[in-house]
Amino acid sequence: RSSDLPSPSIDGHPGHFDPSVADFTQVAPLPTSRYAHVGDLLEFEVTNMTDAHHPFHQHGFSFQPVELRGPFGSYHYDYNEFVDNVNIPAHHTLVYRIRLADRPRMDGVTPGGAEGRWVFHCHVFHHAAQGMISELVVLPSP
């Protein structure tokens, strides 16, 4: 039954997507927002608790998949590939690493570019709009 399936959420909180708000800086951080600093090396786990596949996407930074765990065992990524999307099959957990490094801005000269509010979400748009969306807030180095 559909009522037995978990509702789209992050940590049990539905994400928020309001297309009527043109300026994201006017939207308060979500209860599921993650916070880190420029220069941090992070390791995250994203668990798909549904019966559907979800292509996971992180804005602002490429990430390194480390492991995909599921009901039939684990797959360890034995290469150092950087990706922007990874499909997370039903009832699997993706472990990935991300380094919050400054890099040149679009002009190729100006330093910076890591600080800010970076969305992570299911890349199926209606899944994100239903709640599979949050953000990584990157603060200046302490």
Side-chain angles (χ1 to χ4, degrees):
R1 296 180 329 172
S2 62
S3 62
D4 294 335
L5 297 175
S7 61
S9 67
I10 295 176
D11 296 341
H13 296 276
H16 177 74
F17 178 78
D18 185 352
S20 68
V21 179
D23 183 355
F24 77 92
T25 63
Q26 302 304 308
V27 176
L30 300 168
T32 57
S33 295
R34 284 12 185 203
Y35 296 84
H37 294 94
V38 173
D40 286 351
L41 174 62
L42 307 174
E43 186 168 287
F44 286 107
E45 289 188 9
V46 178
T47 301
N48 176 358
M49 298 171 52
T50 73
D51 291 332
H53 286 246
H54 296 287
F56 176 79
H57 180 63
Q58 168 74 56
H59 285 239
F61 306 91
S62 294
F63 57 91
Q64 282 185 307
V66 174
E67 181 182 14
L68 186 64
R69 294 192 301 255
F72 304 108
S74 294
Y75 174 76
H76 293 271
Y77 295 82
D78 57 356
Y79 48 91
N80 293 323
E81 181 179 17
F82 287 87
V83 299
D84 295 314
N85 261 338
V86 169
N87 183 56
I88 306 175
H91 308 286
H92 281 70
T93 296
L94 171 68
V95 178
Y96 73 94
R97 289 189 187 121
I98 185 170
R99 180 173 300 282
L100 305 178
D102 265 336
R103 65 248 188 229
R105 293 185 190 251
M106 293 297 290
D107 64 9
V109 177
T110 310
E115 291 179 30
R117 296 172 69 180
W118 302 99
V119 174
F120 59 88
H121 59 94
C122 175
H123 220 239
V124 176
F125 183 74
H126 70 274
H127 290 177
Q130 291 172 342
M132 294 180 186
I133 187 168
S134 192
E135 66 181 346
L136 173 61
V137 180
V138 180
L139 304 168
S141 297

